[in-house]
Amino acid sequence: PKDNLYSFIGAESVDITCGTEATAGSGEAFPSETVVILGPSTGTVLWNFNALSIPDKGEVWFDGVKVLDSGYRGSSSYQAALDIALAARGLPPETITEPGTFSDSFVKATATTTAIVKVFSPLSSTAWDFTLGCPV
């Protein structure tokens, strides 16, 4: 639903509640960070990430540990541009995996109430969205 949508551009850090869709468009950010409020409950947390066609990489961090990593997702036609953008940041190339969608989950076994989603968008004009679910 529209009232569960939070959009931002660039490297701004925002806080959202679990189950809320976060979206960004037309902004290069390396990374953008979203704090997702999961609450104290434990359980399985589902993550749905969509990089669309211009490649982005998403990571979920919980208790200071990277628990999920999508790798770069999107159209492989951007591989040369991604390699150049990563090299400009002093980073090695990473292979783009198609399609842009990625889903995975992790088990939240502690009472820590937040997770951080980092999205790496090294190319301009990119857009992405994700939803990090509440623990069940």
Side-chain angles (χ1 to χ4, degrees):
K2 293 258 189 239
D3 59 345
N4 273 356
L5 186 67
Y6 191 90
S7 298
F8 64 96
I9 295 175
E12 178 182 358
S13 179
V14 297
D15 291 15
I16 62 172
T17 304
C18 59
T20 302
E21 182 179 34
T23 67
S26 69
E28 179 182 325
F30 207 84
S32 63
E33 291 191 5
T34 305
V35 175
V36 181
I37 301 161
L38 299 173
S41 299
T42 57
T44 300
V45 178
L46 178 63
W47 184 43
N48 290 308
F49 177 67
N50 188 356
L52 307 172
S53 62
I54 298 175
D56 303 294
K57 175 171 70 172
E59 298 175 349
V60 177
W61 289 74
F62 182 74
D63 275 349
V65 176
K66 181 170 53 173
V67 293
L68 298 174
D69 186 340
S70 70
Y72 279 95
R73 310 291 300 195
S75 170
S76 59
S77 66
Y78 289 93
Q79 188 65 62
L82 177 64
D83 291 348
I84 291 166
L86 292 175
R89 289 173 167 85
L91 298 170
E94 293 189 45
T95 301
I96 299 168
T97 302
E98 294 183 354
T101 55
F102 178 83
S103 294
D104 203 351
S105 63
F106 73 97
V107 175
K108 179 182 179 295
T110 70
T112 302
T113 59
T114 60
I116 298 171
V117 178
K118 298 179 182 183
V119 180
F120 296 83
S121 304
L123 302 176
S124 61
S125 300
T126 190
W128 51 261
D129 63 73
F130 75 80
T131 304
L132 189 65
C134 299
V136 292

